[in-house]
Amino acid sequence: MNMTNLDAITSTDQLPVQARTHWSASDIPSQHGRLAVITGTGGIGFETALALARAGGEVIIAGRNAKKGADAVARICADVRSAKARFEQVDLASLESITDFGTRLRSQHKSLNLLVNNAAVMNPPDRQETADGFELQFGTNYLGHFALTLQLLPLLCLGRDARIITLSSIAARNGAINFEDLQAERSYKPMRVYSQSKLACLMFALEFQRRSKAGRLGIASIAAHPGISRTDLLHNAPGRWSGTGMMRTFLWFLFQPASQGALSSLFAATSPLARGGGYYGPARLGGMRGAPAEAAIPKRALSLGNASRLWEISERLTGMKMLVPGPTEM
């Protein structure tokens, strides 16, 4: 596929034949013997964890809220009697919490097969900050997952057919990395900042793949987006009575179920057809719904210079670098 024409693709009819798919959860290959970490206790994250557990995988649901995490695990175990599922607490808005989480997992496991960077916050009406002083959406959606990935990298390097799946959004199409005001200190517009964070996630997935290949790490980094799905994200972040929250409430029929939205992540995480450096999302209605297929990569995500610059800034902000020691040495 010609990369320069990717952003012009908006529907299944425009996708090349080999990119079309009717892939569903029934196509997930056996996950027995594989360990996955999924961030987020509800919505797309929960459905991803549930499907992996149904396929025989061991899943760790990682999130901030212990009660929601326990509820998610209980629901999975009620659905899958033989499920190997547990909750681990991590706050993606705190570098200290992310470091503690990484330390725990490296002491508990010898390897990791799958990391799904899924959790997100969306459109808080007023600018908020993480525990480390980052703007909340950029700090949680992007920098938190950047740091988490580097913390778990030693385990991933030892995992068979290891994959990192990073969730972007169709909002990334309108995103731009404002290097002069990454933390939106001068001007905060919720949707613009959310779009920037999701563009950064996509750029991170692509840049990690380049670095993985150059370093011969054997880890596939793949991006995905869920289209427009019925989750609590729009309700919880901007509020039920905001413009986006009301759209979710009253135009619910335009949104596909979370289980359908999770298929893009699951395809990227499990399908032999998913490739490192790929980007997958729903095939229909301009990427809003449908079975997973190859998605259009916005031109702004393809700038190698901006990706390298963003990576270097992220290392400086988080204090973490792409080092690959043994699992107990970091």
Side-chain angles (χ1 to χ4, degrees):
M1 183 182 293
N2 186 344
M3 296 294 282
T4 60
N5 294 328
L6 278 173
D7 65 332
I9 297 174
T10 57
S11 73
T12 304
D13 291 340
Q14 294 171 286
L15 288 170
V17 173
Q18 62 269 27
R20 300 178 188 176
T21 177
H22 299 290
W23 195 89
S24 71
S26 64
D27 295 307
I28 296 174
S30 172
Q31 297 299 297
H32 286 279
R34 294 181 64 76
L35 174 65
V37 171
I38 305 101
T39 63
T41 56
I44 302 298
F46 171 78
E47 295 292 346
T48 301
L50 175 60
L52 292 173
R54 285 174 174 168
E58 180 179 356
V59 297
I60 298 173
I61 296 176
R64 182 180 59 181
N65 189 308
K67 183 181 184 306
K68 289 183 178 180
D71 289 346
V73 170
R75 290 169 61 195
I76 289 174
C77 291
D79 184 277
V80 185
R81 291 183 179 271
S82 60
K84 295 180 180 179
R86 78 173 199 267
F87 171 76
E88 284 283 350
Q89 195 160 30
V90 64
D91 184 354
L92 290 169
S94 165
L95 292 176
E96 180 180 8
S97 177
I98 293 168
T99 300
D100 289 345
F101 175 79
T103 300
R104 289 201 308 276
L105 257 66
R106 293 194 305 274
S107 69
Q108 296 167 356
H109 298 280
K110 295 181 179 180
S111 63
L112 178 64
N113 304 101
L114 180 62
L115 170 62
V116 183
N117 291 323
N118 165 82
V121 294
M122 183 180 184
N123 291 6
D126 300 311
R127 186 182 183 277
Q128 300 178 38
E129 292 187 348
T130 70
D132 304 286
F134 306 133
E135 185 279 319
L136 184 63
Q137 296 186 88
F138 186 75
T140 303
N141 302 351
Y142 169 63
L143 287 175
H145 282 120
F146 178 93
L148 178 67
T149 300
L150 297 193
Q151 281 290 321
L152 298 182
L153 184 56
L155 293 175
L156 288 159
C157 284
L158 298 174
R160 176 176 52 84
D161 186 25
R163 300 186 187 191
I164 300 168
I165 312 305
T166 301
L167 271 288
S168 184
S169 165
I170 59 174
R173 298 173 185 173
N174 299 318
I177 306 299
N178 185 352
F179 286 107
E180 306 307 315
D181 191 22
L182 273 177
Q183 308 298 334
E185 295 174 295
R186 302 177 195 169
S187 174
Y188 177 78
K189 293 185 178 180
M191 194 62 197
R192 183 178 68 189
V193 175
Y194 176 75
S195 298
Q196 174 185 249
S197 75
K198 285 301 186 176
L199 175 61
C201 286
L202 177 54
M203 293 170 66
F204 166 69
L206 301 177
E207 179 66 9
F208 190 99
Q209 175 63 25
R210 288 188 285 266
R211 292 176 182 243
S212 176
K213 184 176 180 180
R216 299 182 180 180
L217 299 184
I219 300 171
S221 176
I222 307 170
H225 76 82
I228 303 296
S229 302
R230 292 198 293 272
T231 72
D232 289 333
L233 184 61
L234 291 177
H235 281 161
N236 290 342
R240 183 176 294 270
W241 304 113
S242 67
T244 48
M246 289 178 69
M247 180 176 68
R248 163 67 176 86
T249 299
F250 298 109
L251 299 179
W252 58 268
F253 52 86
L254 296 179
F255 293 66
Q256 63 182 352
S259 58
Q260 182 76 20
L263 289 182
S264 300
S265 301
L266 290 164
F267 178 86
T270 68
S271 175
L273 299 176
R275 58 180 178 82
Y279 184 35
Y280 302 95
R284 296 171 51 210
L285 295 178
M288 291 194 291
R289 60 187 302 130
E294 194 166 353
I297 300 178
K299 284 184 179 179
R300 285 172 172 163
L302 296 173
S303 170
L304 300 183
N306 284 345
S308 179
R309 182 181 180 187
L310 180 62
W311 186 284
E312 291 170 2
I313 291 172
S314 302
E315 286 187 332
R316 185 172 72 248
L317 291 174
T318 63
M320 300 182 193
K321 290 185 177 293
M322 194 169 173
L323 302 176
V324 193
T328 59
E329 297 174 12
M330 183 177 266

